[in-house]
Amino acid sequence: MTTPIACSFPIPEPPMGTIDPNTIEIDYQVGGVPPVKAFHQVVDLAACEADAFYIENATVILCPDACAQVQADPAAKLDVRYGCDVGFDPAG
């Protein structure tokens, strides 16, 4: 039996410096193989979409539909990317 991927996890520690939470994106490898499907950031649970996540109290939380997709995939892989301006504006 496999354990599904967690739908929430702390923002990872960078090897150097700090991570600007507004630059975080998540790459989801469907079945564990490329190409990746990018999950984008939204401001909170109320703004959730099928391919999105939000950050609350330094925790990355997959939106319910994204969580269901990932947990239904026994070979799913998630990679957190950060550091580039991805156009996310927490002010809306």
Side-chain angles (χ1 to χ4, degrees), residues 67-89:
C67 177
Q69 279 182 70
V70 169
Q71 289 198 331
D73 180 351
K77 281 181 150 180
L78 293 180
D79 291 314
V80 177
R81 286 189 295 123
Y82 56 87
C84 296
D85 182 357
V86 296
F88 174 68
D89 180 1

Side-chain angles (χ1 to χ4, degrees), residues 1-4 6 8 10 14 18 24 27 32 34-36 49 53 59 64 66 68 72 74 76 81 92:
M1 182 172 165
T2 59
T3 303
S8 65
T18 59
I24 292 176
D27 287 338
V36 298
E49 298 171 1
F53 66 93
T59 300
R81 286 189 295 123

Side-chain angles (χ1 to χ4, degrees), residues 31-57:
V33 295
V36 298
K37 177 178 183 178
F39 286 164
H40 64 279
Q41 189 173 162
V42 295
V43 292
D44 57 20
L45 177 61
C48 269
E49 298 171 1
D51 57 352
F53 66 93
Y54 59 99
I55 296 175
E56 186 174 280
N57 300 322

Side-chain angles (χ1 to χ4, degrees), residues 3-19:
T3 303
I5 286 182
C7 288
S8 65
F9 46 89
I11 292 174
E13 289 292 323
M16 295 173 40
T18 59
I19 293 176

